[in-house]
Each structure stands twice: as C-alpha cells, then as structure tokens.
Amino acid sequence: SGFTALGERLRLELGPRDGAAEFASRVNDTLSKMVKQVHRHWGDVLMFAGDALICLFEEKDYGEMILDENRKPLNVDQKTRKRVRDCCLSVLGQIAIEKDLTIH
C-alpha cells in the first residue's frame, strides 16, 4: 500500500516526531475516506487489519432499483455484488489521488 515507504520518507523529511505526526494524519485521512465509502455502499467495517479494512456487505435489499444492461431489475444477490464492486471502485478513485499510496 505504500504506508511503510511513506512513513520512512516522512521521517527523513520531517524528523521522527513531525514525521510520525504527519504519517498518522495521512493514514487516518486515508482510512476515514475508505470507511466513508464502505458506509455509503451499505457495508460495515468489521475491523482494521494493519492498513486494511475487513468489511461485511450483507445480502440485503435496501429498496434500490438497479437495472442490468437489458433493463431488467437485479435480484438481491446481484445488487449486493454491484454494491461491493461500486464500493471498491469508489475507494480506488479516492485513494488514486494520493500520490504516496496504492491499493491492492
């Protein structure tokens, strides 16, 4: 993800104390963006695992009308999969603007 490299670079550029503070701020901002996207797509963050999120997206109908490419309504399973896909893509879009970090 680049957090280790970012931490090292900030330590060298800003010194141990200021580098650690800037690193913590950037990690917090990044993880906050990710959590917001998960919640926006009706997911729950179960826990943090280092710099990763472990999330749950229940197979549940939230009443949204989503149509497939043939204009037919998606079933609950298809809606859930689409929410997860859309969430991942939105997180990628949010993090892609961060020059120091990557998602994998």
Side-chain angles (χ1 to χ4, degrees):
S1 65
F3 279 127
T4 302
L6 174 62
E8 283 298 310
R9 186 174 60 76
L10 291 173
R11 184 182 63 77
L12 291 173
E13 289 176 6
L14 304 175
R17 183 176 178 171
D18 290 342
E22 179 63 21
F23 177 75
S25 175
R26 289 195 192 183
V27 169
N28 186 50
D29 288 346
T30 300
L31 293 176
S32 292
K33 288 177 186 177
M34 294 169 73
V35 169
K36 285 178 186 174
Q37 292 305 313
V38 170
H39 290 163
R40 186 173 153 249
H41 291 88
W42 293 301
D44 293 309
V45 176
L46 301 179
M47 66 185 301
F48 294 92
D51 59 0
L53 303 179
I54 298 176
C55 304
L56 172 70
F57 291 84
E58 288 187 64
E59 194 169 283
K60 185 174 176 182
D61 193 338
Y62 290 94
E64 73 272 38
M65 177 56 72
I66 303 173
L67 304 175
D68 68 12
E69 61 276 355
N70 298 317
R71 313 247 335 125
K72 294 183 181 178
L74 299 181
N75 64 36
V76 175
D77 178 62
Q78 292 168 319
K79 287 180 182 181
T80 303
R81 290 174 188 268
K82 182 173 183 350
R83 280 199 312 274
V84 172
R85 249 190 331 271
D86 290 350
C87 180
C88 291
L89 291 173
S90 67
V91 167
L92 279 171
Q94 291 286 317
I95 303 305
I97 60 174
E98 302 288 334
K99 65 182 178 178
D100 296 310
L101 307 173
T102 59
I103 287 188
H104 49 268

XYZ file of all heavy atoms in Angstrom:
825
model
N 0.812 -1.193 0.000
C 0.000 0.000 0.000
C 0.853 1.253 0.000
O 0.383 2.317 -0.341
C -0.919 -0.002 1.213
O -0.161 0.077 2.404
N 2.092 1.156 0.421
C 2.963 2.316 0.436
C 3.082 2.993 1.784
O 3.801 3.977 1.923
N 2.381 2.470 2.799
C 2.447 3.115 4.114
C 3.851 3.049 4.706
O 4.321 4.011 5.301
C 1.448 2.484 5.085
C 0.045 2.989 4.912
C -0.997 2.108 4.734
C -0.246 4.342 4.941
C -2.305 2.561 4.586
C -1.539 4.820 4.794
C -2.578 3.912 4.608
N 4.541 1.932 4.531
C 5.898 1.817 5.085
C 6.828 2.818 4.421
O 7.565 3.548 5.105
C 6.435 0.389 4.912
O 5.541 -0.515 5.562
C 7.824 0.248 5.505
N 6.789 2.871 3.090
C 7.646 3.814 2.361
C 7.291 5.256 2.720
O 8.175 6.100 2.897
C 7.516 3.580 0.860
N 6.007 5.537 2.832
C 5.567 6.878 3.205
C 6.085 7.248 4.588
O 6.612 8.346 4.803
C 4.045 6.972 3.171
C 3.432 8.280 3.681
C 3.877 9.459 2.831
C 1.919 8.162 3.716
N 5.954 6.335 5.541
C 6.430 6.586 6.899
C 7.922 6.880 6.938
O 8.372 7.812 7.621
N 8.689 6.096 6.198
C 10.139 6.314 6.149
C 10.483 7.656 5.524
O 11.327 8.389 6.028
C 10.809 5.182 5.364
C 10.936 3.904 6.145
C 11.807 4.080 7.375
O 12.934 4.623 7.264
O 11.354 3.675 8.464
N 9.805 7.979 4.424
C 10.075 9.238 3.743
C 9.739 10.429 4.628
O 10.514 11.387 4.741
C 9.297 9.317 2.434
C 9.655 10.545 1.613
C 8.992 10.564 0.256
N 7.539 10.553 0.319
C 6.786 11.609 0.644
N 7.352 12.756 0.986
N 5.482 11.525 0.655
N 8.598 10.372 5.288
C 8.213 11.483 6.168
C 9.156 11.616 7.355
O 9.470 12.726 7.786
C 6.771 11.294 6.643
C 5.702 11.449 5.566
C 4.334 11.062 6.115
C 5.691 12.868 5.010
N 9.632 10.492 7.871
C 10.591 10.537 8.988
C 11.871 11.234 8.548
O 12.422 12.075 9.269
C 10.898 9.126 9.479
C 11.818 9.092 10.705
C 12.127 7.663 11.136
N 12.847 6.903 10.132
C 14.157 7.025 9.869
N 14.882 7.903 10.528
N 14.730 6.285 8.955
N 12.334 10.904 7.347
C 13.565 11.522 6.843
C 13.358 13.001 6.522
O 14.233 13.827 6.786
C 14.048 10.783 5.595
C 14.568 9.363 5.828
C 14.845 8.679 4.499
C 15.816 9.390 6.699
N 12.204 13.335 5.954
C 11.950 14.724 5.565
C 11.628 15.635 6.748
O 12.064 16.783 6.785
C 10.783 14.789 4.574
C 11.100 14.247 3.205
C 9.883 14.247 2.286
O 8.813 14.771 2.675
O 10.002 13.710 1.167
N 10.859 15.124 7.701
C 10.348 15.974 8.778
C 10.945 15.678 10.150
O 10.665 16.396 11.106
C 8.824 15.833 8.861
C 8.047 16.134 7.575
C 6.572 15.827 7.760
C 8.257 17.585 7.164
N 11.707 14.623 10.246
C 12.235 14.215 11.543
C 11.283 13.220 12.203
O 10.128 13.083 11.789
N 11.775 12.513 13.237
C 10.968 11.457 13.844
C 9.622 11.925 14.394
O 8.592 11.303 14.148
C 11.856 10.924 14.965
C 13.230 11.355 14.636
C 13.092 12.610 13.830
N 9.626 13.021 15.124
C 8.381 13.458 15.773
C 7.364 14.004 14.763
O 6.218 13.569 14.711
C 8.704 14.514 16.820
C 7.505 14.953 17.582
C 7.890 15.921 18.650
N 6.690 16.359 19.353
C 6.707 17.072 20.428
N 7.847 17.438 20.961
N 5.594 17.431 20.999
N 7.777 14.981 13.951
C 6.862 15.576 12.977
C 6.509 14.581 11.879
O 5.383 14.587 11.369
C 7.460 16.841 12.371
C 7.534 17.984 13.370
O 6.825 17.921 14.402
O 8.305 18.937 13.128
N 7.467 13.726 11.511
C 7.196 12.708 10.502
C 6.135 11.731 10.978
O 5.228 11.361 10.219
N 6.221 11.339 12.251
C 5.227 10.416 12.813
C 3.854 11.072 12.875
O 2.833 10.437 12.575
C 5.660 9.950 14.198
N 3.821 12.332 13.234
C 2.534 13.045 13.308
C 1.907 13.180 11.926
O 0.703 12.956 11.749
C 2.732 14.423 13.940
N 2.701 13.528 10.935
C 2.183 13.664 9.567
C 1.740 12.300 9.031
O 0.713 12.190 8.371
C 3.250 14.279 8.655
C 2.819 14.434 7.219
C 1.645 15.377 7.017
O 1.380 16.229 7.891
O 0.981 15.253 5.975
N 2.514 11.268 9.334
C 2.158 9.912 8.905
C 0.809 9.506 9.514
O -0.075 9.022 8.809
C 3.251 8.924 9.318
C 2.929 7.512 8.988
C 3.000 7.054 7.682
C 2.540 6.628 9.984
C 2.693 5.738 7.372
C 2.228 5.312 9.684
C 2.309 4.859 8.374
N 0.643 9.716 10.803
C -0.610 9.361 11.474
C -1.784 10.121 10.869
O -2.864 9.555 10.658
C -0.505 9.642 12.971
N -1.572 11.385 10.563
C -2.628 12.195 9.965
C -3.025 11.653 8.591
O -4.212 11.520 8.280
C -2.155 13.642 9.851
O -3.113 14.413 9.174
N -2.040 11.304 7.773
C -2.337 10.791 6.427
C -3.010 9.422 6.480
O -3.935 9.159 5.707
C -1.070 10.724 5.592
C -0.565 12.093 5.207
C 0.438 11.997 4.103
N 1.132 13.248 3.922
C 2.023 13.439 2.969
N 2.328 12.481 2.128
N 2.616 14.604 2.847
N -2.547 8.558 7.360
C -3.169 7.240 7.487
C -4.613 7.397 7.951
O -5.525 6.770 7.413
C -2.369 6.335 8.454
C -3.150 5.070 8.796
C -1.020 5.976 7.844
N -4.833 8.249 8.942
C -6.179 8.485 9.444
C -7.088 9.031 8.338
O -8.223 8.572 8.173
C -6.143 9.450 10.624
C -7.499 9.608 11.261
O -8.169 8.629 11.572
N -7.918 10.849 11.454
N -6.600 9.990 7.575
C -7.392 10.554 6.481
C -7.739 9.494 5.445
O -8.875 9.413 4.973
C -6.640 11.703 5.796
C -6.558 12.956 6.646
O -7.291 13.054 7.658
O -5.750 13.844 6.297
N -6.767 8.676 5.090
C -6.983 7.646 4.071
C -7.981 6.599 4.545
O -8.923 6.249 3.831
C -5.647 6.969 3.701
O -4.759 7.971 3.182
C -5.840 5.889 2.658
N -7.792 6.101 5.754
C -8.712 5.090 6.274
C -10.111 5.669 6.470
O -11.111 4.987 6.225
C -8.185 4.482 7.569
C -6.919 3.635 7.420
C -6.431 3.158 8.782
C -7.133 2.467 6.484
N -10.199 6.938 6.857
C -11.506 7.583 7.000
C -12.235 7.653 5.666
O -13.445 7.404 5.588
C -11.354 8.991 7.567
O -10.910 8.931 8.898
N -11.518 7.983 4.600
C -12.124 8.004 3.266
C -12.646 6.620 2.892
O -13.727 6.490 2.325
C -11.104 8.460 2.222
C -10.759 9.921 2.278
C -9.697 10.249 1.250
C -9.223 11.673 1.393
N -8.134 11.990 0.457
N -11.859 5.600 3.199
C -12.261 4.236 2.864
C -13.509 3.834 3.643
O -14.449 3.270 3.080
C -11.103 3.282 3.137
C -9.915 3.515 2.213
S -8.425 2.612 2.711
C -8.881 0.943 2.277
N -13.544 4.137 4.928
C -14.694 3.789 5.766
C -15.948 4.502 5.261
O -17.026 3.893 5.178
C -14.420 4.125 7.252
C -15.685 4.033 8.086
C -13.338 3.206 7.805
N -15.823 5.766 4.901
C -16.978 6.510 4.386
C -17.545 5.857 3.141
O -18.768 5.782 2.964
C -16.595 7.960 4.101
C -16.449 8.795 5.347
C -16.026 10.212 5.011
C -15.760 10.973 6.290
N -15.209 12.299 6.055
N -16.676 5.376 2.261
C -17.153 4.722 1.046
C -17.850 3.404 1.359
O -18.867 3.072 0.756
C -16.015 4.507 0.054
C -15.469 5.786 -0.541
C -16.545 6.621 -1.202
O -17.365 6.119 -1.967
N -16.570 7.905 -0.890
N -17.319 2.656 2.308
C -17.964 1.392 2.707
C -19.363 1.683 3.238
O -20.340 1.046 2.833
C -17.115 0.637 3.750
C -17.885 -0.544 4.341
C -15.814 0.148 3.121
N -19.487 2.659 4.116
C -20.797 3.005 4.685
C -21.738 3.540 3.608
O -22.932 3.248 3.629
C -20.646 4.025 5.808
C -20.001 3.445 7.021
N -19.453 4.231 8.005
C -19.790 2.159 7.421
C -18.947 3.460 8.949
N -19.143 2.194 8.608
N -21.217 4.310 2.683
C -22.032 4.868 1.602
C -22.660 3.758 0.756
O -23.731 3.936 0.186
C -21.148 5.754 0.726
C -21.886 6.495 -0.339
C -20.964 7.490 -1.055
N -21.492 7.675 -2.382
C -20.922 7.265 -3.501
N -19.750 6.665 -3.456
N -21.495 7.458 -4.655
N -21.992 2.606 0.700
C -22.485 1.473 -0.091
C -23.125 0.404 0.801
O -23.207 -0.754 0.442
C -21.345 0.893 -0.923
C -20.908 1.814 -2.019
N -19.957 2.788 -1.832
C -21.337 1.945 -3.291
C -19.804 3.465 -2.953
N -20.626 2.977 -3.854
N -23.614 0.798 1.962
C -24.328 -0.061 2.908
C -23.484 -1.224 3.431
O -23.999 -2.298 3.726
C -25.642 -0.587 2.311
C -26.655 0.471 2.089
C -27.192 1.297 3.037
C -27.261 0.852 0.863
N -28.089 2.148 2.472
C -28.154 1.893 1.129
C -27.128 0.397 -0.446
C -28.907 2.490 0.147
C -27.887 1.005 -1.425
C -28.764 2.035 -1.124
N -22.206 -0.988 3.573
C -21.333 -2.004 4.155
C -20.981 -1.636 5.580
O -21.202 -0.511 6.026
N -20.444 -2.605 6.289
C -19.977 -2.400 7.660
C -18.499 -2.732 7.728
O -18.059 -3.743 7.172
C -20.724 -3.305 8.633
C -22.189 -2.943 8.757
O -22.484 -1.764 8.980
O -23.033 -3.851 8.619
N -17.727 -1.898 8.407
C -16.320 -2.195 8.655
C -16.266 -3.000 9.937
O -16.658 -2.521 10.996
C -15.481 -0.904 8.775
C -14.042 -1.239 9.119
C -15.570 -0.096 7.487
N -15.797 -4.235 9.833
C -15.735 -5.112 10.992
C -14.483 -4.872 11.817
O -14.522 -4.942 13.043
C -15.795 -6.576 10.554
C -17.038 -6.985 9.766
C -16.952 -8.456 9.388
C -18.299 -6.699 10.560
N -13.382 -4.629 11.131
C -12.130 -4.381 11.849
C -11.075 -3.837 10.903
O -11.214 -3.924 9.685
C -11.631 -5.653 12.535
C -11.218 -6.745 11.571
S -10.754 -8.322 12.346
C -9.428 -7.859 13.389
N -10.048 -3.272 11.495
C -8.870 -2.847 10.758
C -7.814 -3.926 10.948
O -7.664 -4.463 12.037
C -8.331 -1.518 11.291
C -9.265 -0.369 11.057
C -10.207 -0.006 12.015
C -9.209 0.351 9.881
C -11.066 1.048 11.799
C -10.077 1.416 9.657
C -11.001 1.758 10.624
N -7.108 -4.242 9.883
C -6.018 -5.213 9.940
C -4.791 -4.527 9.343
O -4.572 -4.562 8.140
C -6.382 -6.477 9.169
N -4.042 -3.861 10.196
C -2.921 -3.065 9.704
C -3.458 -1.891 8.915
O -4.216 -1.083 9.430
N -3.122 -1.843 7.633
C -3.622 -0.765 6.783
C -4.768 -1.250 5.889
O -5.089 -0.636 4.887
C -2.492 -0.159 5.946
C -1.816 -1.187 5.053
O -2.204 -2.362 5.076
O -0.899 -0.795 4.315
N -5.404 -2.339 6.279
C -6.522 -2.893 5.510
C -7.810 -2.824 6.319
O -7.795 -2.732 7.538
C -6.229 -4.345 5.150
N -8.917 -2.867 5.600
C -10.234 -2.935 6.230
C -10.825 -4.307 5.958
O -10.715 -4.822 4.850
C -11.189 -1.894 5.625
C -10.799 -0.436 5.659
C -11.877 0.404 4.986
C -10.602 0.032 7.070
N -11.466 -4.870 6.954
C -12.246 -6.089 6.759
C -13.699 -5.662 6.876
O -14.114 -5.109 7.901
C -11.877 -7.173 7.786
C -10.412 -7.542 7.590
C -12.794 -8.383 7.640
C -9.875 -8.527 8.593
N -14.435 -5.877 5.783
C -15.794 -5.344 5.675
C -16.806 -6.457 5.433
O -16.467 -7.532 4.950
C -15.875 -4.362 4.507
S -14.677 -3.032 4.622
N -18.040 -6.127 5.749
C -19.154 -7.035 5.512
C -20.225 -6.283 4.738
O -20.607 -5.171 5.108
C -19.737 -7.524 6.846
C -21.028 -8.334 6.752
C -20.741 -9.695 6.119
C -21.646 -8.496 8.121
N -20.678 -6.888 3.669
C -21.795 -6.372 2.897
C -22.879 -7.441 2.944
O -22.743 -8.487 2.315
C -21.388 -6.090 1.449
C -20.447 -4.926 1.318
C -19.086 -5.090 1.497
C -20.927 -3.667 1.023
C -18.222 -4.028 1.390
C -20.071 -2.587 0.905
C -18.710 -2.763 1.088
N -23.917 -7.185 3.732
C -24.996 -8.161 3.858
C -25.772 -8.260 2.557
O -25.982 -7.268 1.868
C -25.951 -7.765 4.976
C -25.366 -7.940 6.350
C -26.401 -7.707 7.421
O -27.370 -8.479 7.477
O -26.223 -6.738 8.173
N -26.202 -9.478 2.258
C -27.051 -9.688 1.099
C -28.457 -9.297 1.504
O -29.219 -10.096 2.040
C -26.990 -11.145 0.662
C -27.555 -11.375 -0.707
C -27.249 -12.756 -1.213
O -26.104 -12.984 -1.639
O -28.147 -13.607 -1.149
N -28.750 -8.029 1.302
C -29.994 -7.459 1.776
C -30.517 -6.476 0.739
O -29.742 -5.783 0.083
C -29.734 -6.740 3.106
C -30.933 -6.196 3.798
C -30.524 -5.640 5.165
C -31.707 -5.003 5.851
N -31.325 -4.430 7.137
N -31.831 -6.423 0.588
C -32.440 -5.493 -0.357
C -32.749 -4.191 0.366
O -33.508 -4.173 1.328
C -33.722 -6.096 -0.942
C -34.211 -5.323 -2.150
O -33.846 -4.136 -2.294
O -34.958 -5.901 -2.939
N -32.118 -3.120 -0.086
C -32.341 -1.805 0.514
C -33.358 -0.994 -0.275
O -33.508 0.206 -0.056
C -31.013 -1.047 0.615
C -30.091 -1.659 1.643
C -29.129 -2.586 1.267
C -30.204 -1.336 2.989
C -28.291 -3.167 2.211
C -29.378 -1.903 3.934
C -28.423 -2.820 3.543
O -27.598 -3.391 4.472
N -34.047 -1.651 -1.210
C -35.098 -0.996 -1.957
C -34.632 -0.208 -3.165
O -35.447 0.423 -3.838
N -33.347 -0.242 -3.443
C -32.867 0.498 -4.598
C -33.253 -0.252 -5.885
O -33.260 -1.479 -5.924
C -31.357 0.747 -4.524
C -30.482 -0.472 -4.784
C -30.169 -1.314 -3.564
O -31.027 -1.497 -2.694
O -29.054 -1.834 -3.512
N -33.616 0.499 -6.910
C -33.956 -0.094 -8.203
C -32.729 -0.021 -9.088
O -32.297 1.065 -9.482
C -35.134 0.648 -8.854
C -35.499 0.141 -10.231
S -35.875 -1.622 -10.332
C -37.452 -1.667 -9.525
N -32.141 -1.160 -9.358
C -30.954 -1.223 -10.206
C -31.283 -2.154 -11.365
O -31.740 -3.277 -11.161
C -29.733 -1.744 -9.424
C -29.476 -0.866 -8.201
C -28.512 -1.786 -10.327
C -28.402 -1.392 -7.276
N -31.020 -1.669 -12.568
C -31.319 -2.442 -13.763
C -30.037 -2.957 -14.402
O -28.991 -2.297 -14.348
C -32.075 -1.571 -14.771
C -33.364 -0.916 -14.267
C -33.932 0.002 -15.334
C -34.380 -1.951 -13.825
N -30.130 -4.134 -15.023
C -28.978 -4.663 -15.748
C -28.909 -4.038 -17.133
O -29.703 -3.146 -17.468
C -29.011 -6.199 -15.797
C -30.151 -6.749 -16.642
O -30.794 -5.977 -17.389
O -30.385 -7.968 -16.568
N -27.963 -4.490 -17.930
C -27.785 -3.906 -19.267
C -29.002 -4.117 -20.174
O -29.187 -3.414 -21.158
C -26.505 -4.449 -19.937
C -26.495 -5.952 -20.155
C -26.038 -6.740 -18.926
O -25.636 -6.149 -17.919
O -26.108 -7.965 -18.997
N -29.873 -5.083 -19.841
C -31.103 -5.332 -20.611
C -32.315 -4.643 -19.987
O -33.444 -4.952 -20.342
C -31.355 -6.839 -20.732
C -30.238 -7.535 -21.475
O -29.769 -7.040 -22.487
N -29.799 -8.667 -20.969
N -32.048 -3.771 -19.012
C -33.090 -3.005 -18.317
C -34.003 -3.886 -17.473
O -35.152 -3.555 -17.227
C -33.899 -2.152 -19.300
C -33.077 -1.368 -20.290
C -33.040 0.109 -20.253
N -34.125 0.843 -19.683
C -33.943 1.733 -18.688
N -32.766 1.919 -18.191
N -34.950 2.416 -18.219
N -33.472 -5.021 -16.997
C -34.223 -5.892 -16.093
C -33.707 -5.667 -14.680
O -32.508 -5.482 -14.466
C -34.047 -7.360 -16.489
C -34.659 -7.690 -17.827
C -34.520 -9.157 -18.136
C -35.132 -9.436 -19.500
N -34.977 -10.825 -19.881
N -34.610 -5.689 -13.690
C -34.179 -5.455 -12.299
C -33.209 -6.543 -11.818
O -33.368 -7.719 -12.137
C -35.483 -5.520 -11.508
C -36.578 -5.370 -12.503
C -36.062 -5.879 -13.804
N -32.211 -6.114 -11.060
C -31.275 -7.055 -10.453
C -31.924 -7.710 -9.243
O -32.714 -7.086 -8.534
C -29.995 -6.342 -10.005
C -29.162 -5.639 -11.078
C -27.926 -5.024 -10.428
C -28.775 -6.579 -12.193
N -31.549 -8.970 -8.978
C -32.014 -9.624 -7.759
C -31.119 -9.190 -6.594
O -30.137 -8.464 -6.778
C -32.077 -11.146 -7.929
C -30.716 -11.773 -8.165
O -29.717 -11.339 -7.603
N -30.663 -12.797 -8.992
N -31.441 -9.616 -5.398
C -30.718 -9.183 -4.194
C -29.237 -9.530 -4.270
O -28.369 -8.716 -3.936
C -31.355 -9.785 -2.922
C -30.535 -9.429 -1.697
C -32.776 -9.296 -2.758
N -28.915 -10.731 -4.712
C -27.519 -11.151 -4.833
C -26.773 -10.246 -5.815
O -25.660 -9.786 -5.533
C -27.441 -12.610 -5.287
C -26.003 -13.071 -5.462
O -25.263 -13.075 -4.459
O -25.630 -13.397 -6.604
N -27.377 -9.965 -6.935
C -26.744 -9.109 -7.932
C -26.576 -7.677 -7.417
O -25.552 -7.037 -7.663
C -27.577 -9.101 -9.219
C -27.578 -10.431 -9.948
C -28.629 -10.486 -11.033
O -29.759 -10.017 -10.853
N -28.268 -11.064 -12.174
N -27.568 -7.180 -6.689
C -27.463 -5.839 -6.107
C -26.308 -5.770 -5.112
O -25.551 -4.797 -5.080
C -28.762 -5.457 -5.398
C -29.913 -5.132 -6.314
C -31.139 -4.777 -5.471
C -32.353 -4.493 -6.299
N -33.506 -4.121 -5.455
N -26.192 -6.806 -4.292
C -25.111 -6.828 -3.293
C -23.758 -6.844 -3.973
O -22.850 -6.091 -3.599
C -25.271 -8.040 -2.361
O -26.551 -7.984 -1.741
C -24.189 -8.059 -1.294
N -23.600 -7.686 -4.966
C -22.329 -7.747 -5.695
C -22.009 -6.406 -6.354
O -20.864 -5.967 -6.358
C -22.358 -8.852 -6.733
C -22.342 -10.229 -6.128
C -22.522 -11.307 -7.200
N -22.688 -12.606 -6.608
C -21.691 -13.442 -6.370
N -20.457 -13.093 -6.664
N -21.926 -14.614 -5.826
N -23.015 -5.758 -6.889
C -22.807 -4.445 -7.504
C -22.399 -3.409 -6.461
O -21.507 -2.597 -6.708
C -24.066 -3.996 -8.238
C -23.880 -2.651 -8.946
C -25.042 -2.283 -9.802
C -24.877 -1.002 -10.566
N -23.794 -0.130 -10.287
N -23.033 -3.439 -5.288
C -22.645 -2.500 -4.218
C -21.185 -2.704 -3.822
O -20.450 -1.746 -3.626
C -23.543 -2.670 -2.998
C -24.876 -1.987 -3.107
C -25.555 -1.781 -1.768
N -25.590 -2.950 -0.913
C -26.519 -3.906 -0.956
N -27.501 -3.829 -1.820
N -26.478 -4.916 -0.139
N -20.771 -3.977 -3.701
C -19.377 -4.261 -3.329
C -18.432 -3.765 -4.421
O -17.425 -3.096 -4.130
C -19.174 -5.763 -3.052
C -17.700 -6.084 -2.865
C -19.975 -6.201 -1.840
N -18.750 -4.063 -5.670
C -17.925 -3.593 -6.794
C -17.846 -2.073 -6.816
O -16.761 -1.490 -6.942
C -18.523 -4.092 -8.112
C -17.719 -5.113 -8.836
C -18.206 -5.404 -10.245
N -19.619 -5.220 -10.500
C -20.560 -6.151 -10.339
N -20.250 -7.344 -9.908
N -21.831 -5.886 -10.624
N -19.003 -1.432 -6.704
C -19.025 0.038 -6.723
C -18.233 0.627 -5.563
O -17.547 1.641 -5.714
C -20.462 0.554 -6.690
C -21.224 0.281 -7.977
O -20.604 -0.142 -8.983
O -22.460 0.475 -7.973
N -18.315 -0.016 -4.404
C -17.552 0.451 -3.239
C -16.055 0.358 -3.518
O -15.318 1.314 -3.286
C -17.922 -0.363 -2.003
S -17.027 0.162 -0.539
N -15.622 -0.779 -4.022
C -14.193 -0.957 -4.315
C -13.709 0.080 -5.324
O -12.644 0.671 -5.150
C -13.931 -2.363 -4.838
S -14.152 -3.633 -3.587
N -14.495 0.303 -6.358
C -14.108 1.289 -7.368
C -14.087 2.699 -6.801
O -13.209 3.502 -7.134
C -15.045 1.208 -8.573
C -14.909 -0.070 -9.396
C -16.003 -0.123 -10.462
C -13.532 -0.172 -10.037
N -15.023 3.018 -5.919
C -15.025 4.362 -5.336
C -13.841 4.546 -4.395
O -13.249 5.625 -4.346
C -16.348 4.659 -4.637
O -16.510 3.860 -3.505
N -13.480 3.505 -3.658
C -12.291 3.581 -2.795
C -11.053 3.769 -3.660
O -10.199 4.603 -3.364
C -12.168 2.336 -1.895
C -10.799 2.263 -1.244
C -13.252 2.336 -0.826
N -10.975 3.006 -4.747
C -9.833 3.175 -5.653
C -9.753 4.601 -6.164
O -8.680 5.186 -6.229
C -9.953 2.213 -6.837
C -9.513 0.789 -6.593
C -9.896 -0.087 -7.786
C -8.029 0.704 -6.331
N -10.903 5.163 -6.517
C -10.931 6.544 -7.004
C -10.483 7.534 -5.953
O -9.768 8.496 -6.256
N -10.871 7.315 -4.713
C -10.474 8.208 -3.626
C -8.978 8.109 -3.351
O -8.316 9.117 -3.137
C -11.235 7.865 -2.341
C -12.696 8.189 -2.389
C -12.938 9.681 -2.288
O -12.321 10.372 -1.502
N -13.830 10.167 -3.116
N -8.450 6.893 -3.345
C -7.043 6.685 -2.987
C -6.122 6.980 -4.162
O -4.978 7.362 -3.978
C -6.822 5.246 -2.471
C -7.742 4.968 -1.283
C -5.370 5.012 -2.072
C -7.631 5.949 -0.128
N -6.640 6.824 -5.379
C -5.803 7.051 -6.564
C -5.257 8.473 -6.606
O -4.224 8.714 -7.221
C -6.593 6.750 -7.830
N -5.939 9.398 -5.953
C -5.449 10.778 -5.967
C -4.325 10.996 -4.960
O -3.670 12.027 -4.975
C -6.599 11.779 -5.713
C -7.245 11.536 -4.359
C -7.621 11.729 -6.824
C -8.295 12.565 -3.981
N -4.083 10.017 -4.106
C -2.983 10.108 -3.140
C -1.699 9.663 -3.835
O -1.583 8.527 -4.273
C -3.254 9.193 -1.934
C -4.517 9.480 -1.205
C -4.470 10.763 -0.408
O -3.366 11.180 -0.025
O -5.533 11.355 -0.197
N -0.736 10.525 -3.927
C 0.489 10.207 -4.678
C 1.365 9.175 -3.966
O 2.164 8.510 -4.597
C 1.285 11.458 -4.972
C 1.823 12.150 -3.739
C 2.571 13.405 -4.087
C 3.028 14.056 -2.787
N 3.785 15.247 -3.004
N 1.214 9.020 -2.663
C 2.108 8.142 -1.918
C 1.551 6.738 -1.697
O 2.256 5.888 -1.175
C 2.387 8.737 -0.532
C 3.130 10.048 -0.618
O 4.147 10.086 -1.329
O 2.695 11.026 -0.001
N 0.285 6.491 -2.045
C -0.348 5.242 -1.667
C -0.903 4.503 -2.874
O -1.250 5.103 -3.879
C -1.483 5.499 -0.672
C -1.109 6.306 0.562
C -2.333 6.627 1.364
C -0.097 5.532 1.397
N -1.020 3.184 -2.729
C -1.650 2.349 -3.756
C -2.596 1.388 -3.060
O -2.491 1.166 -1.858
C -0.609 1.538 -4.549
O 0.108 0.713 -3.636
C 0.339 2.431 -5.302
N -3.495 0.818 -3.832
C -4.414 -0.199 -3.298
C -4.171 -1.483 -4.057
O -4.019 -1.471 -5.271
C -5.880 0.248 -3.447
C -6.170 1.345 -2.457
C -6.832 -0.920 -3.251
C -7.609 1.736 -2.378
N -4.159 -2.577 -3.306
C -4.065 -3.889 -3.937
C -4.847 -4.884 -3.125
O -5.307 -4.616 -2.059
C -2.628 -4.340 -4.109
C -1.784 -4.198 -2.872
N -1.052 -3.061 -2.620
C -1.581 -5.003 -1.819
C -0.411 -3.213 -1.450
N -0.720 -4.372 -0.953
